[in-house]
Amino acid sequence: MTEMQESVERIGLPEFLPGLLREQYGEQTAVRIIQGYGAKRKVTLRANTIKATAEEIDKALSEAGISYSKVPWYEDAFVIEEGDESRIRQLAVYEEGKIYLQSLSSMLPPLALGPRAGADILDMAAAPGGKTTQMAAMTGNKAHITACEMNSIRMERLRYNVEKQGASCVYLMQKDSRTLDDFFSFDQILLDAPCSGSGVLDLEDARLQTHFTRKLIDKSVKAQTALIKKAVNLLKKGQEMVYSTCSVLACENEMIVKSALSGGKVELVPLSAEVFPGLPVLPVKMAGTLCVAPDELYEGFFLAKLRKR
Ligand code: SAM
């Protein structure tokens, strides 16, 4: 039995996925990804600098006897060395919205976009709001962020998080972003697109086999294609956007970016993994895009940056 078959049998992945991964990445990297699904990921969080400084969070964690480490690329990120989220949820800093539980991978798109104070920013797929509130914090609550979310239940979660984090520069809009009027235009856009979640498969989820299907991938590709087209239309000339997913499949990532580039209205702004030391990157089919491997620190993730000509 190959290493791949052993991993697949042990963790019960949907049958078609190993073949897809092997086709895209080759045997060795496919095994790495599959093993990454099974890794027990550490709890990570972000200091909400609207309400607290990273030093204050350092202190609160130390006083609670919670050991943590830092990543070299983001001083507001904390990696909790032991224990689950429940321990963090009991802390006063959590209750007060001074921290936000967020995966490290999910912190990358706002950093790649670099939200600016005073800018009109569109977050096209915003709930539950990790990146919306991160962008608000990065601008000192001084941008004008329109956070769009289609699902009404998720919109309530977004509203709760935005309020709890004190992100008062965020304007919430419950809407299908694909139907936003082209009359609008934005200085910066984040499209953290709905996706199959192939970078973050939860192997303990009993519904994984029925939920993660080829149909889900096809549906995601269709939505992503329409969303990125809309993003390109809504972006002001000379301005930038970031496209991201928690998928490691090229059909949801590089191919979607390619579809946007083919219209000729945007160009790729190359991203470099060197800006994020320690990031476990996967080979990509389009130079200048970044794909992150799932492991004990990171979720599988993809991001690309585009500029409107
Ligand atoms: N950016 C979020 C964060 O950092 O917390 C995570 C976004 S999640 C990957 C994708 C979200 O997009 C889901 O909440 C989903 O309901 C929403 N969504 C999917 N299609 C949409 C659409 N056409 N317009 C607006 N929101 C959409």
Side-chain angles (χ1 to χ4, degrees), residues 100 106 123-132 148-151 154 175-178 192-194 227 246:
Y100 188 91
S106 162
D123 187 345
M124 290 180 78
K131 300 177 193 71
T132 313
C148 211
E149 169 59 47
M150 178 166 85
N151 180 294
R154 290 179 66 88
K175 196 170 174 63
D176 181 336
S177 296
R178 290 170 293 191
D192 184 40
L227 281 162
C246 55

mmCIF file with all atom_site columns, all heavy atoms in Angstrom, residues 100 106 123-132 148-151 154 175-178 192-194 227 246, ligand 1:
data_model
loop_
_atom_site.group_PDB
_atom_site.id
_atom_site.type_symbol
_atom_site.label_atom_id
_atom_site.label_alt_id
_atom_site.label_comp_id
_atom_site.label_asym_id
_atom_site.label_entity_id
_atom_site.label_seq_id
_atom_site.pdbx_PDB_ins_code
_atom_site.Cartn_x
_atom_site.Cartn_y
_atom_site.Cartn_z
_atom_site.occupancy
_atom_site.B_iso_or_equiv
_atom_site.pdbx_formal_charge
_atom_site.auth_seq_id
_atom_site.auth_comp_id
_atom_site.auth_asym_id
_atom_site.auth_atom_id
_atom_site.pdbx_PDB_model_num
ATOM   1   N N   . TYR A 1 100 ? -9.483  38.247 18.663 1.00 0.00 ? 100 TYR A N   1
ATOM   2   C CA  . TYR A 1 100 ? -10.382 37.559 17.746 1.00 0.00 ? 100 TYR A CA  1
ATOM   3   C C   . TYR A 1 100 ? -9.727  36.227 17.401 1.00 0.00 ? 100 TYR A C   1
ATOM   4   O O   . TYR A 1 100 ? -8.570  36.203 16.969 1.00 0.00 ? 100 TYR A O   1
ATOM   5   C CB  . TYR A 1 100 ? -10.587 38.410 16.481 1.00 0.00 ? 100 TYR A CB  1
ATOM   6   C CG  . TYR A 1 100 ? -11.662 37.863 15.565 1.00 0.00 ? 100 TYR A CG  1
ATOM   7   C CD1 . TYR A 1 100 ? -12.988 38.279 15.691 1.00 0.00 ? 100 TYR A CD1 1
ATOM   8   C CD2 . TYR A 1 100 ? -11.360 36.918 14.586 1.00 0.00 ? 100 TYR A CD2 1
ATOM   9   C CE1 . TYR A 1 100 ? -13.984 37.765 14.858 1.00 0.00 ? 100 TYR A CE1 1
ATOM   10  C CE2 . TYR A 1 100 ? -12.343 36.410 13.753 1.00 0.00 ? 100 TYR A CE2 1
ATOM   11  C CZ  . TYR A 1 100 ? -13.659 36.837 13.897 1.00 0.00 ? 100 TYR A CZ  1
ATOM   12  O OH  . TYR A 1 100 ? -14.640 36.336 13.070 1.00 0.00 ? 100 TYR A OH  1
ATOM   13  N N   . SER A 1 106 ? -5.923  32.877 7.544  1.00 0.00 ? 106 SER A N   1
ATOM   14  C CA  . SER A 1 106 ? -6.975  33.860 7.330  1.00 0.00 ? 106 SER A CA  1
ATOM   15  C C   . SER A 1 106 ? -6.508  35.298 7.595  1.00 0.00 ? 106 SER A C   1
ATOM   16  O O   . SER A 1 106 ? -7.176  36.260 7.185  1.00 0.00 ? 106 SER A O   1
ATOM   17  C CB  . SER A 1 106 ? -8.159  33.480 8.227  1.00 0.00 ? 106 SER A CB  1
ATOM   18  O OG  . SER A 1 106 ? -9.029  34.530 8.396  1.00 0.00 ? 106 SER A OG  1
ATOM   19  N N   . ASP A 1 123 ? -15.553 44.441 1.147  1.00 0.00 ? 123 ASP A N   1
ATOM   20  C CA  . ASP A 1 123 ? -15.324 43.046 1.513  1.00 0.00 ? 123 ASP A CA  1
ATOM   21  C C   . ASP A 1 123 ? -16.522 42.285 0.964  1.00 0.00 ? 123 ASP A C   1
ATOM   22  O O   . ASP A 1 123 ? -17.636 42.415 1.462  1.00 0.00 ? 123 ASP A O   1
ATOM   23  C CB  . ASP A 1 123 ? -15.235 42.948 3.054  1.00 0.00 ? 123 ASP A CB  1
ATOM   24  C CG  . ASP A 1 123 ? -14.837 41.566 3.514  1.00 0.00 ? 123 ASP A CG  1
ATOM   25  O OD1 . ASP A 1 123 ? -14.902 40.626 2.689  1.00 0.00 ? 123 ASP A OD1 1
ATOM   26  O OD2 . ASP A 1 123 ? -14.477 41.416 4.687  1.00 0.00 ? 123 ASP A OD2 1
ATOM   27  N N   . MET A 1 124 ? -16.293 41.501 -0.087 1.00 0.00 ? 124 MET A N   1
ATOM   28  C CA  . MET A 1 124 ? -17.424 40.961 -0.854 1.00 0.00 ? 124 MET A CA  1
ATOM   29  C C   . MET A 1 124 ? -18.060 39.715 -0.269 1.00 0.00 ? 124 MET A C   1
ATOM   30  O O   . MET A 1 124 ? -19.138 39.301 -0.704 1.00 0.00 ? 124 MET A O   1
ATOM   31  C CB  . MET A 1 124 ? -16.958 40.645 -2.281 1.00 0.00 ? 124 MET A CB  1
ATOM   32  C CG  . MET A 1 124 ? -16.660 41.874 -3.088 1.00 0.00 ? 124 MET A CG  1
ATOM   33  S SD  . MET A 1 124 ? -16.128 41.465 -4.759 1.00 0.00 ? 124 MET A SD  1
ATOM   34  C CE  . MET A 1 124 ? -17.667 41.070 -5.577 1.00 0.00 ? 124 MET A CE  1
ATOM   35  N N   . ALA A 1 125 ? -17.382 39.050 0.659  1.00 0.00 ? 125 ALA A N   1
ATOM   36  C CA  . ALA A 1 125 ? -17.910 37.812 1.251  1.00 0.00 ? 125 ALA A CA  1
ATOM   37  C C   . ALA A 1 125 ? -17.429 37.808 2.700  1.00 0.00 ? 125 ALA A C   1
ATOM   38  O O   . ALA A 1 125 ? -16.436 37.189 3.039  1.00 0.00 ? 125 ALA A O   1
ATOM   39  C CB  . ALA A 1 125 ? -17.380 36.604 0.479  1.00 0.00 ? 125 ALA A CB  1
ATOM   40  N N   . ALA A 1 126 ? -18.165 38.517 3.540  1.00 0.00 ? 126 ALA A N   1
ATOM   41  C CA  . ALA A 1 126 ? -17.559 39.009 4.775  1.00 0.00 ? 126 ALA A CA  1
ATOM   42  C C   . ALA A 1 126 ? -17.738 38.158 6.030  1.00 0.00 ? 126 ALA A C   1
ATOM   43  O O   . ALA A 1 126 ? -16.909 38.223 6.943  1.00 0.00 ? 126 ALA A O   1
ATOM   44  C CB  . ALA A 1 126 ? -18.069 40.418 5.050  1.00 0.00 ? 126 ALA A CB  1
ATOM   45  N N   . ALA A 1 127 ? -18.835 37.407 6.146  1.00 0.00 ? 127 ALA A N   1
ATOM   46  C CA  . ALA A 1 127 ? -19.114 36.719 7.418  1.00 0.00 ? 127 ALA A CA  1
ATOM   47  C C   . ALA A 1 127 ? -18.195 35.508 7.612  1.00 0.00 ? 127 ALA A C   1
ATOM   48  O O   . ALA A 1 127 ? -17.842 34.852 6.632  1.00 0.00 ? 127 ALA A O   1
ATOM   49  C CB  . ALA A 1 127 ? -20.561 36.255 7.439  1.00 0.00 ? 127 ALA A CB  1
ATOM   50  N N   . PRO A 1 128 ? -17.792 35.232 8.851  1.00 0.00 ? 128 PRO A N   1
ATOM   51  C CA  . PRO A 1 128 ? -18.207 35.859 10.107 1.00 0.00 ? 128 PRO A CA  1
ATOM   52  C C   . PRO A 1 128 ? -17.463 37.156 10.455 1.00 0.00 ? 128 PRO A C   1
ATOM   53  O O   . PRO A 1 128 ? -17.744 37.749 11.487 1.00 0.00 ? 128 PRO A O   1
ATOM   54  C CB  . PRO A 1 128 ? -17.930 34.782 11.146 1.00 0.00 ? 128 PRO A CB  1
ATOM   55  C CG  . PRO A 1 128 ? -16.769 34.013 10.574 1.00 0.00 ? 128 PRO A CG  1
ATOM   56  C CD  . PRO A 1 128 ? -16.980 34.010 9.084  1.00 0.00 ? 128 PRO A CD  1
ATOM   57  N N   . GLY A 1 129 ? -16.509 37.565 9.634  1.00 0.00 ? 129 GLY A N   1
ATOM   58  C CA  . GLY A 1 129 ? -15.962 38.908 9.838  1.00 0.00 ? 129 GLY A CA  1
ATOM   59  C C   . GLY A 1 129 ? -14.518 38.984 10.312 1.00 0.00 ? 129 GLY A C   1
ATOM   60  O O   . GLY A 1 129 ? -14.058 40.064 10.679 1.00 0.00 ? 129 GLY A O   1
ATOM   61  N N   . GLY A 1 130 ? -13.813 37.864 10.280 1.00 0.00 ? 130 GLY A N   1
ATOM   62  C CA  . GLY A 1 130 ? -12.415 37.889 10.720 1.00 0.00 ? 130 GLY A CA  1
ATOM   63  C C   . GLY A 1 130 ? -11.594 38.901 9.948  1.00 0.00 ? 130 GLY A C   1
ATOM   64  O O   . GLY A 1 130 ? -10.866 39.724 10.520 1.00 0.00 ? 130 GLY A O   1
ATOM   65  N N   . LYS A 1 131 ? -11.753 38.864 8.628  1.00 0.00 ? 131 LYS A N   1
ATOM   66  C CA  . LYS A 1 131 ? -10.920 39.751 7.803  1.00 0.00 ? 131 LYS A CA  1
ATOM   67  C C   . LYS A 1 131 ? -11.489 41.168 7.778  1.00 0.00 ? 131 LYS A C   1
ATOM   68  O O   . LYS A 1 131 ? -10.743 42.136 7.689  1.00 0.00 ? 131 LYS A O   1
ATOM   69  C CB  . LYS A 1 131 ? -10.782 39.175 6.390  1.00 0.00 ? 131 LYS A CB  1
ATOM   70  C CG  . LYS A 1 131 ? -10.126 37.806 6.403  1.00 0.00 ? 131 LYS A CG  1
ATOM   71  C CD  . LYS A 1 131 ? -10.032 37.167 5.054  1.00 0.00 ? 131 LYS A CD  1
ATOM   72  C CE  . LYS A 1 131 ? -9.677  35.702 5.150  1.00 0.00 ? 131 LYS A CE  1
ATOM   73  N NZ  . LYS A 1 131 ? -10.765 34.843 5.689  1.00 0.00 ? 131 LYS A NZ  1
ATOM   74  N N   . THR A 1 132 ? -12.813 41.283 7.862  1.00 0.00 ? 132 THR A N   1
ATOM   75  C CA  . THR A 1 132 ? -13.412 42.631 7.910  1.00 0.00 ? 132 THR A CA  1
ATOM   76  C C   . THR A 1 132 ? -12.877 43.376 9.127  1.00 0.00 ? 132 THR A C   1
ATOM   77  O O   . THR A 1 132 ? -12.430 44.527 9.024  1.00 0.00 ? 132 THR A O   1
ATOM   78  C CB  . THR A 1 132 ? -14.955 42.542 8.070  1.00 0.00 ? 132 THR A CB  1
ATOM   79  O OG1 . THR A 1 132 ? -15.479 41.605 7.160  1.00 0.00 ? 132 THR A OG1 1
ATOM   80  C CG2 . THR A 1 132 ? -15.605 43.887 7.867  1.00 0.00 ? 132 THR A CG2 1
ATOM   81  N N   . CYS A 1 148 ? -20.130 42.952 2.718  1.00 0.00 ? 148 CYS A N   1
ATOM   82  C CA  . CYS A 1 148 ? -21.279 42.369 2.048  1.00 0.00 ? 148 CYS A CA  1
ATOM   83  C C   . CYS A 1 148 ? -21.383 40.892 2.398  1.00 0.00 ? 148 CYS A C   1
ATOM   84  O O   . CYS A 1 148 ? -20.375 40.163 2.354  1.00 0.00 ? 148 CYS A O   1
ATOM   85  C CB  . CYS A 1 148 ? -21.040 42.538 0.549  1.00 0.00 ? 148 CYS A CB  1
ATOM   86  S SG  . CYS A 1 148 ? -22.516 42.717 -0.373 1.00 0.00 ? 148 CYS A SG  1
ATOM   87  N N   . GLU A 1 149 ? -22.564 40.447 2.752  1.00 0.00 ? 149 GLU A N   1
ATOM   88  C CA  . GLU A 1 149 ? -22.783 39.032 3.063  1.00 0.00 ? 149 GLU A CA  1
ATOM   89  C C   . GLU A 1 149 ? -24.187 38.665 2.602  1.00 0.00 ? 149 GLU A C   1
ATOM   90  O O   . GLU A 1 149 ? -25.135 39.374 2.869  1.00 0.00 ? 149 GLU A O   1
ATOM   91  C CB  . GLU A 1 149 ? -22.604 38.780 4.576  1.00 0.00 ? 149 GLU A CB  1
ATOM   92  C CG  . GLU A 1 149 ? -23.041 37.421 5.072  1.00 0.00 ? 149 GLU A CG  1
ATOM   93  C CD  . GLU A 1 149 ? -22.307 36.257 4.406  1.00 0.00 ? 149 GLU A CD  1
ATOM   94  O OE1 . GLU A 1 149 ? -21.069 36.268 4.289  1.00 0.00 ? 149 GLU A OE1 1
ATOM   95  O OE2 . GLU A 1 149 ? -23.019 35.303 3.992  1.00 0.00 ? 149 GLU A OE2 1
ATOM   96  N N   . MET A 1 150 ? -24.269 37.502 1.936  1.00 0.00 ? 150 MET A N   1
ATOM   97  C CA  . MET A 1 150 ? -25.537 37.100 1.330  1.00 0.00 ? 150 MET A CA  1
ATOM   98  C C   . MET A 1 150 ? -26.432 36.349 2.316  1.00 0.00 ? 150 MET A C   1
ATOM   99  O O   . MET A 1 150 ? -27.649 36.527 2.311  1.00 0.00 ? 150 MET A O   1
ATOM   100 C CB  . MET A 1 150 ? -25.173 36.188 0.146  1.00 0.00 ? 150 MET A CB  1
ATOM   101 C CG  . MET A 1 150 ? -26.304 35.616 -0.596 1.00 0.00 ? 150 MET A CG  1
ATOM   102 S SD  . MET A 1 150 ? -25.708 34.926 -2.151 1.00 0.00 ? 150 MET A SD  1
ATOM   103 C CE  . MET A 1 150 ? -25.188 33.314 -1.680 1.00 0.00 ? 150 MET A CE  1
ATOM   104 N N   . ASN A 1 151 ? -25.826 35.551 3.185  1.00 0.00 ? 151 ASN A N   1
ATOM   105 C CA  . ASN A 1 151 ? -26.592 34.653 4.042  1.00 0.00 ? 151 ASN A CA  1
ATOM   106 C C   . ASN A 1 151 ? -27.069 35.387 5.307  1.00 0.00 ? 151 ASN A C   1
ATOM   107 O O   . ASN A 1 151 ? -26.260 35.957 6.038  1.00 0.00 ? 151 ASN A O   1
ATOM   108 C CB  . ASN A 1 151 ? -25.673 33.473 4.396  1.00 0.00 ? 151 ASN A CB  1
ATOM   109 C CG  . ASN A 1 151 ? -26.344 32.467 5.282  1.00 0.00 ? 151 ASN A CG  1
ATOM   110 O OD1 . ASN A 1 151 ? -26.675 32.753 6.427  1.00 0.00 ? 151 ASN A OD1 1
ATOM   111 N ND2 . ASN A 1 151 ? -26.539 31.292 4.750  1.00 0.00 ? 151 ASN A ND2 1
ATOM   112 N N   . ARG A 1 154 ? -25.574 34.108 8.694  1.00 0.00 ? 154 ARG A N   1
ATOM   113 C CA  . ARG A 1 154 ? -24.161 34.502 8.804  1.00 0.00 ? 154 ARG A CA  1
ATOM   114 C C   . ARG A 1 154 ? -24.024 36.022 8.945  1.00 0.00 ? 154 ARG A C   1
ATOM   115 O O   . ARG A 1 154 ? -23.093 36.516 9.572  1.00 0.00 ? 154 ARG A O   1
ATOM   116 C CB  . ARG A 1 154 ? -23.375 33.961 7.603  1.00 0.00 ? 154 ARG A CB  1
ATOM   117 C CG  . ARG A 1 154 ? -23.232 32.428 7.670  1.00 0.00 ? 154 ARG A CG  1
ATOM   118 C CD  . ARG A 1 154 ? -22.475 31.869 6.492  1.00 0.00 ? 154 ARG A CD  1
ATOM   119 N NE  . ARG A 1 154 ? -21.087 32.263 6.430  1.00 0.00 ? 154 ARG A NE  1
ATOM   120 C CZ  . ARG A 1 154 ? -20.075 31.633 7.005  1.00 0.00 ? 154 ARG A CZ  1
ATOM   121 N NH1 . ARG A 1 154 ? -20.302 30.547 7.712  1.00 0.00 ? 154 ARG A NH1 1
ATOM   122 N NH2 . ARG A 1 154 ? -18.835 32.068 6.870  1.00 0.00 ? 154 ARG A NH2 1
ATOM   123 N N   . LYS A 1 175 ? -26.458 41.244 0.992  1.00 0.00 ? 175 LYS A N   1
ATOM   124 C CA  . LYS A 1 175 ? -26.687 41.246 -0.451 1.00 0.00 ? 175 LYS A CA  1
ATOM   125 C C   . LYS A 1 175 ? -25.818 40.191 -1.125 1.00 0.00 ? 175 LYS A C   1
ATOM   126 O O   . LYS A 1 175 ? -24.744 39.858 -0.625 1.00 0.00 ? 175 LYS A O   1
ATOM   127 C CB  . LYS A 1 175 ? -26.319 42.637 -0.992 1.00 0.00 ? 175 LYS A CB  1
ATOM   128 C CG  . LYS A 1 175 ? -26.841 42.929 -2.377 1.00 0.00 ? 175 LYS A CG  1
ATOM   129 C CD  . LYS A 1 175 ? -26.632 44.394 -2.724 1.00 0.00 ? 175 LYS A CD  1
ATOM   130 C CE  . LYS A 1 175 ? -27.000 44.690 -4.161 1.00 0.00 ? 175 LYS A CE  1
ATOM   131 N NZ  . LYS A 1 175 ? -28.398 44.476 -4.499 1.00 0.00 ? 175 LYS A NZ  1
ATOM   132 N N   . ASP A 1 176 ? -26.275 39.709 -2.244 1.00 0.00 ? 176 ASP A N   1
ATOM   133 C CA  . ASP A 1 176 ? -25.441 38.862 -3.090 1.00 0.00 ? 176 ASP A CA  1
ATOM   134 C C   . ASP A 1 176 ? -24.487 39.811 -3.828 1.00 0.00 ? 176 ASP A C   1
ATOM   135 O O   . ASP A 1 176 ? -24.929 40.630 -4.646 1.00 0.00 ? 176 ASP A O   1
ATOM   136 C CB  . ASP A 1 176 ? -26.346 38.111 -4.082 1.00 0.00 ? 176 ASP A CB  1
ATOM   137 C CG  . ASP A 1 176 ? -25.564 37.190 -4.997 1.00 0.00 ? 176 ASP A CG  1
ATOM   138 O OD1 . ASP A 1 176 ? -24.358 37.438 -5.207 1.00 0.00 ? 176 ASP A OD1 1
ATOM   139 O OD2 . ASP A 1 176 ? -26.154 36.234 -5.518 1.00 0.00 ? 176 ASP A OD2 1
ATOM   140 N N   . SER A 1 177 ? -23.205 39.698 -3.541 1.00 0.00 ? 177 SER A N   1
ATOM   141 C CA  . SER A 1 177 ? -22.237 40.639 -4.126 1.00 0.00 ? 177 SER A CA  1
ATOM   142 C C   . SER A 1 177 ? -22.224 40.614 -5.647 1.00 0.00 ? 177 SER A C   1
ATOM   143 O O   . SER A 1 177 ? -21.823 41.586 -6.289 1.00 0.00 ? 177 SER A O   1
ATOM   144 C CB  . SER A 1 177 ? -20.821 40.320 -3.638 1.00 0.00 ? 177 SER A CB  1
ATOM   145 O OG  . SER A 1 177 ? -20.749 40.504 -2.279 1.00 0.00 ? 177 SER A OG  1
ATOM   146 N N   . ARG A 1 178 ? -22.660 39.497 -6.216 1.00 0.00 ? 178 ARG A N   1
ATOM   147 C CA  . ARG A 1 178 ? -22.678 39.406 -7.680 1.00 0.00 ? 178 ARG A CA  1
ATOM   148 C C   . ARG A 1 178 ? -23.653 40.396 -8.283 1.00 0.00 ? 178 ARG A C   1
ATOM   149 O O   . ARG A 1 178 ? -23.567 40.725 -9.455 1.00 0.00 ? 178 ARG A O   1
ATOM   150 C CB  . ARG A 1 178 ? -23.073 37.978 -8.119 1.00 0.00 ? 178 ARG A CB  1
ATOM   151 C CG  . ARG A 1 178 ? -22.014 36.951 -7.825 1.00 0.00 ? 178 ARG A CG  1
ATOM   152 C CD  . ARG A 1 178 ? -22.518 35.552 -8.052 1.00 0.00 ? 178 ARG A CD  1
ATOM   153 N NE  . ARG A 1 178 ? -23.557 35.175 -7.096 1.00 0.00 ? 178 ARG A NE  1
ATOM   154 C CZ  . ARG A 1 178 ? -24.033 33.960 -6.932 1.00 0.00 ? 178 ARG A CZ  1
ATOM   155 N NH1 . ARG A 1 178 ? -23.563 32.974 -7.656 1.00 0.00 ? 178 ARG A NH1 1
ATOM   156 N NH2 . ARG A 1 178 ? -24.977 33.703 -6.034 1.00 0.00 ? 178 ARG A NH2 1
ATOM   157 N N   . ASP A 1 192 ? -12.786 37.264 -0.467 1.00 0.00 ? 192 ASP A N   1
ATOM   158 C CA  . ASP A 1 192 ? -12.439 36.021 0.225  1.00 0.00 ? 192 ASP A CA  1
ATOM   159 C C   . ASP A 1 192 ? -13.572 35.048 -0.123 1.00 0.00 ? 192 ASP A C   1
ATOM   160 O O   . ASP A 1 192 ? -14.535 34.909 0.623  1.00 0.00 ? 192 ASP A O   1
ATOM   161 C CB  . ASP A 1 192 ? -12.363 36.313 1.732  1.00 0.00 ? 192 ASP A CB  1
ATOM   162 C CG  . ASP A 1 192 ? -11.916 35.112 2.530  1.00 0.00 ? 192 ASP A CG  1
ATOM   163 O OD1 . ASP A 1 192 ? -11.018 34.388 2.067  1.00 0.00 ? 192 ASP A OD1 1
ATOM   164 O OD2 . ASP A 1 192 ? -12.479 34.879 3.627  1.00 0.00 ? 192 ASP A OD2 1
ATOM   165 N N   . ALA A 1 193 ? -13.423 34.415 -1.243 1.00 0.00 ? 193 ALA A N   1
ATOM   166 C CA  . ALA A 1 193 ? -14.560 33.792 -1.916 1.00 0.00 ? 193 ALA A CA  1
ATOM   167 C C   . ALA A 1 193 ? -15.078 32.529 -1.220 1.00 0.00 ? 193 ALA A C   1
ATOM   168 O O   . ALA A 1 193 ? -14.315 31.797 -0.588 1.00 0.00 ? 193 ALA A O   1
ATOM   169 C CB  . ALA A 1 193 ? -14.138 33.445 -3.344 1.00 0.00 ? 193 ALA A CB  1
ATOM   170 N N   . PRO A 1 194 ? -16.388 32.283 -1.383 1.00 0.00 ? 194 PRO A N   1
ATOM   171 C CA  . PRO A 1 194 ? -16.924 30.991 -0.942 1.00 0.00 ? 194 PRO A CA  1
ATOM   172 C C   . PRO A 1 194 ? -16.223 29.901 -1.740 1.00 0.00 ? 194 PRO A C   1
ATOM   173 O O   . PRO A 1 194 ? -15.942 30.088 -2.924 1.00 0.00 ? 194 PRO A O   1
ATOM   174 C CB  . PRO A 1 194 ? -18.412 31.078 -1.302 1.00 0.00 ? 194 PRO A CB  1
ATOM   175 C CG  . PRO A 1 194 ? -18.497 32.127 -2.358 1.00 0.00 ? 194 PRO A CG  1
ATOM   176 C CD  . PRO A 1 194 ? -17.396 33.093 -2.079 1.00 0.00 ? 194 PRO A CD  1
ATOM   177 N N   . LEU A 1 227 ? -18.045 36.209 -9.071 1.00 0.00 ? 227 LEU A N   1
ATOM   178 C CA  . LEU A 1 227 ? -17.658 37.190 -8.041 1.00 0.00 ? 227 LEU A CA  1
ATOM   179 C C   . LEU A 1 227 ? -16.407 37.965 -8.446 1.00 0.00 ? 227 LEU A C   1
ATOM   180 O O   . LEU A 1 227 ? -16.320 39.181 -8.260 1.00 0.00 ? 227 LEU A O   1
ATOM   181 C CB  . LEU A 1 227 ? -17.437 36.478 -6.702 1.00 0.00 ? 227 LEU A CB  1
ATOM   182 C CG  . LEU A 1 227 ? -18.717 36.127 -5.929 1.00 0.00 ? 227 LEU A CG  1
ATOM   183 C CD1 . LEU A 1 227 ? -18.448 35.068 -4.859 1.00 0.00 ? 227 LEU A CD1 1
ATOM   184 C CD2 . LEU A 1 227 ? -19.333 37.374 -5.290 1.00 0.00 ? 227 LEU A CD2 1
ATOM   185 N N   . CYS A 1 246 ? -10.024 29.234 0.897  1.00 0.00 ? 246 CYS A N   1
ATOM   186 C CA  . CYS A 1 246 ? -9.396  28.206 1.746  1.00 0.00 ? 246 CYS A CA  1
ATOM   187 C C   . CYS A 1 246 ? -9.442  26.876 0.991  1.00 0.00 ? 246 CYS A C   1
ATOM   188 O O   . CYS A 1 246 ? -9.783  25.841 1.556  1.00 0.00 ? 246 CYS A O   1
ATOM   189 C CB  . CYS A 1 246 ? -10.043 28.135 3.130  1.00 0.00 ? 246 CYS A CB  1
ATOM   190 S SG  . CYS A 1 246 ? -11.803 27.872 3.105  1.00 0.00 ? 246 CYS A SG  1
HETATM 191 N N1  . SAM B 2 .   ? -14.192 36.618 4.886  1.00 0.00 ? 1   SAM B N1  1
HETATM 192 C C1  . SAM B 2 .   ? -14.818 35.837 5.932  1.00 0.00 ? 1   SAM B C1  1
HETATM 193 C C2  . SAM B 2 .   ? -13.975 35.950 7.188  1.00 0.00 ? 1   SAM B C2  1
HETATM 194 O O1  . SAM B 2 .   ? -12.784 36.240 7.117  1.00 0.00 ? 1   SAM B O1  1
HETATM 195 O O2  . SAM B 2 .   ? -14.532 35.763 8.276  1.00 0.00 ? 1   SAM B O2  1
HETATM 196 C C3  . SAM B 2 .   ? -15.056 34.405 5.511  1.00 0.00 ? 1   SAM B C3  1
HETATM 197 C C4  . SAM B 2 .   ? -15.860 34.339 4.253  1.00 0.00 ? 1   SAM B C4  1
HETATM 198 S S1  . SAM B 2 .   ? -16.434 32.741 3.824  1.00 0.00 ? 1   SAM B S1  1
HETATM 199 C C5  . SAM B 2 .   ? -15.058 32.078 3.034  1.00 0.00 ? 1   SAM B C5  1
HETATM 200 C C6  . SAM B 2 .   ? -17.471 33.123 2.474  1.00 0.00 ? 1   SAM B C6  1
HETATM 201 C C7  . SAM B 2 .   ? -18.721 33.885 2.849  1.00 0.00 ? 1   SAM B C7  1
HETATM 202 O O3  . SAM B 2 .   ? -19.310 34.394 1.655  1.00 0.00 ? 1   SAM B O3  1
HETATM 203 C C8  . SAM B 2 .   ? -19.832 33.057 3.502  1.00 0.00 ? 1   SAM B C8  1
HETATM 204 O O4  . SAM B 2 .   ? -20.258 33.677 4.675  1.00 0.00 ? 1   SAM B O4  1
HETATM 205 C C9  . SAM B 2 .   ? -20.942 33.031 2.468  1.00 0.00 ? 1   SAM B C9  1
HETATM 206 O O5  . SAM B 2 .   ? -22.230 33.005 3.039  1.00 0.00 ? 1   SAM B O5  1
HETATM 207 C C10 . SAM B 2 .   ? -20.691 34.316 1.734  1.00 0.00 ? 1   SAM B C10 1
HETATM 208 N N2  . SAM B 2 .   ? -21.159 34.365 0.330  1.00 0.00 ? 1   SAM B N2  1
HETATM 209 C C11 . SAM B 2 .   ? -21.187 33.359 -0.561 1.00 0.00 ? 1   SAM B C11 1
HETATM 210 N N3  . SAM B 2 .   ? -21.598 33.800 -1.755 1.00 0.00 ? 1   SAM B N3  1
HETATM 211 C C12 . SAM B 2 .   ? -21.822 35.131 -1.625 1.00 0.00 ? 1   SAM B C12 1
HETATM 212 C C13 . SAM B 2 .   ? -22.257 36.143 -2.499 1.00 0.00 ? 1   SAM B C13 1
HETATM 213 N N4  . SAM B 2 .   ? -22.551 35.865 -3.768 1.00 0.00 ? 1   SAM B N4  1
HETATM 214 N N5  . SAM B 2 .   ? -22.389 37.394 -2.033 1.00 0.00 ? 1   SAM B N5  1
HETATM 215 C C14 . SAM B 2 .   ? -22.089 37.683 -0.735 1.00 0.00 ? 1   SAM B C14 1
HETATM 216 N N6  . SAM B 2 .   ? -21.685 36.753 0.150  1.00 0.00 ? 1   SAM B N6  1
HETATM 217 C C15 . SAM B 2 .   ? -21.542 35.495 -0.290 1.00 0.00 ? 1   SAM B C15 1
#
